[in-house]
Amino acid sequence: MELIEAAQMWHTDGFVVLPAFIPADELGAAVRELPAQFPTAEGFHDGTDRRRNRYIDDEFAGIDTFPFTSTELSLLAVSERLLELAGTLLGDDDIHMYAAESWAKYTGACDYDQDLHRDYLNHTLLVPSTAPGCRQVEMFVYLTDVPEELGPPHLVSRRHTDHLPAVPNWFLKPGQASESRYTDDSGSPELYAAEVSGAGPAGTVIAFEPGTVHRGTGLTAPRGARYSMQVCFRPASLQWGQRVGWAVRSFSPEWSAFVGRATVRQLQALGFPPPGHPYWTEETLAGMALRYPRLDLSAWETSA
């Protein structure tokens, strides 16, 4: 699918599924490093990986936050392909990645089957907007194949949700009750009837908006494991879209390893000023050389 066509679908439906968008050769290095970050399917199900207990009884326990143990995985989160997709969808070349997580799930570890919901409550201080320059995009990136039995997300087109108010945010499955103003406990049969599966092969990218109604589904494959990333982008000027502040992680070994191998564009997507910005002076360049000894500063030096 051409990026322009993908953007049209994203604007119309609130999401677009791009099967195998990232080719196998671009995934390979990150996938080979996954066992350093997460148990393999065998290690989890055979009980031979001592990290196993972390994933039991908590659907979110399998999340690691950027920068990752795997530098290759960190670089993949801001790969040229994903940055180009985000820029096209958002209609802006100056974009920032405001969150990135890698996620491992294992059959039987816990119940991953969620109620339909929207993500905006912890992705923006405001409410979702469709105005140009005011949108955010989330992406699910499949590191391995995610068929239906390995719990792909299900999503509902904006064609079925445009009438919904900003609150409530969660739409509970039938048989549940809640008194929270953020939940609708009517059973929402029309929404569940309209959901579509995001199943796809390794490299599939699902781009959606924080205001898109969706949910995670359960893993049923025997001895199954699912590995994915969630990366989130916004225009640099959109200050109310936030989830993680990178500075709090910027003195970790993982961050330094990432910075030492990242391109200028990748670092700009994390908040580094571009070449030619007034920030770059002899003083700051000297300081950056001390802080990041493996960072090639030549692009910024020539513009200082």
Side-chain angles (χ1 to χ4, degrees):
M1 185 185 300
E2 297 292 334
L3 292 185
I4 297 302
E5 182 184 356
Q8 291 172 342
M9 294 184 67
W10 183 71
H11 283 282
T12 299
D13 293 319
F15 70 90
V16 61
V17 180
L18 302 169
F21 181 74
I22 302 177
D25 61 336
E26 294 184 25
L27 283 178
V31 171
R32 287 191 292 272
E33 291 186 357
L34 279 177
Q37 186 150 334
F38 300 117
T40 63
E42 294 76 14
F44 178 85
H45 292 291
D46 293 339
T48 57
D49 193 309
R50 61 184 179 182
R51 298 171 292 180
R52 179 183 188 276
N53 289 344
R54 160 187 164 182
Y55 303 90
I56 304 298
D57 294 332
D58 183 349
E59 66 170 309
F60 301 113
I63 293 176
D64 282 353
T65 302
F66 183 96
F68 308 120
T69 300
S70 164
T71 302
E72 292 289 350
L73 193 57
S74 294
L75 292 167
L76 182 64
V78 280
S79 66
E80 187 64 29
R81 198 175 295 272
L82 293 183
L83 292 177
E84 184 180 7
L85 174 60
T88 301
L89 298 182
L90 295 173
D92 197 325
D93 290 331
D94 190 6
I95 56 172
H96 281 191
M97 183 177 77
Y98 69 88
E101 299 170 340
S102 55
W103 201 344
K105 296 182 178 183
Y106 302 93
T107 304
C110 63
D111 184 5
Y112 297 108
D113 196 48
Q114 297 177 332
D115 296 303
L116 286 171
H117 63 280
R118 295 173 285 200
D119 282 353
Y120 84 86
L121 288 180
N122 59 5
H123 282 253
T124 174
L125 301 174
L126 308 179
V127 296
S129 170
T130 57
C134 298
R135 297 178 122 155
Q136 299 164 235
V137 60
E138 303 181 58
M139 299 180 190
F140 290 134
V141 181
Y142 295 170
L143 303 174
T144 53
D145 294 345
V146 183
E148 194 62 31
E149 59 267 27
L150 285 180
H154 287 188
L155 306 101
V156 182
S157 169
R158 184 184 288 120
R159 303 168 196 264
H160 302 284
T161 63
D162 259 353
H163 66 286
L164 296 174
V167 176
N169 187 69
W170 282 275
F171 305 91
L172 305 185
K173 293 188 285 289
Q176 302 181 80
S178 173
E179 295 183 0
S180 169
R181 72 185 186 94
Y182 287 109
T183 57
D184 178 340
D185 59 7
S186 68
S188 304
E190 72 289 351
L191 294 182
Y192 284 91
E195 67 180 16
V196 298
S197 173
T204 292
V205 174
I206 301 176
F208 64 106
E209 295 182 284
T212 299
V213 175
H214 69 288
R215 68 185 184 97
T217 62
L219 279 68
T220 60
R223 295 174 60 84
R226 196 199 96 169
Y227 304 97
S228 63
M229 282 196 302
Q230 182 181 14
V231 290
C232 308
F233 298 95
R234 60 170 175 81
S237 59
L238 195 151
Q239 296 301 312
W240 55 87
Q242 51 188 254
R243 187 168 167 87
V244 174
W246 298 123
V248 73
R249 296 174 170 84
S250 66
F251 52 91
S252 68
E254 294 82 5
W255 179 272
S256 294
F258 163 76
V259 168
R261 293 182 53 192
T263 66
V264 172
R265 188 179 184 193
Q266 287 176 317
L267 294 173
Q268 190 172 333
L270 272 296
F272 278 47
H277 191 280
Y279 172 83
W280 299 109
T281 64
E282 290 186 8
E283 176 190 20
T284 57
L285 287 165
M288 289 291 282
L290 289 173
R291 180 168 186 177
Y292 299 115
R294 290 183 289 175
L295 175 61
D296 179 3
L297 289 163
S298 57
W300 296 282
E301 288 171 341
T302 57
S303 67

